[in-house]
Amino acid sequence: LATEGSIALIKKGFDEQGVLSVTGRTMKANLASARVLQKVGLTLVSEYYEERFPGADKVGMLFRHHRDGREEQWKTGVLE
């Protein structure tokens, strides 16, 4: 259900609400959530340190998808 619901929300945002990009974050240890983000079309753009995460693993992953497919520009920090 997570994949289907995410796809529906992304589609609605892009098609009906004028959304330009979608961002998702998850703990690096949460492989299931990371896989859902990838399956719905988001691309891993960076890893980051997040003190607020519980436990010893404080590494997060940032995913993004732009409606025009500009994920590579997000990775480099250059978005035209």
Side-chain angles (χ1 to χ4, degrees), residues 5-18:
S6 297
I7 290 170
L9 287 172
I10 292 168
K11 182 171 176 37
K12 183 173 182 68
F14 285 164
D15 294 347
E16 299 175 23
Q17 304 296 320

Side-chain angles (χ1 to χ4, degrees), residues 14-52:
F14 285 164
D15 294 347
E16 299 175 23
Q17 304 296 320
V19 172
L20 298 178
S21 67
V22 175
T23 301
R25 296 175 187 255
T26 188
M27 295 172 61
K28 187 172 184 175
N30 192 341
L31 299 178
S33 291
R35 183 67 188 126
V36 168
L37 293 170
Q38 291 171 329
K39 283 173 64 175
V40 301
L42 279 71
T43 301
L44 178 65
V45 293
S46 69
E47 293 184 356
Y48 63 96
Y49 180 81
E50 179 56 73
E51 182 64 40
R52 297 177 293 174

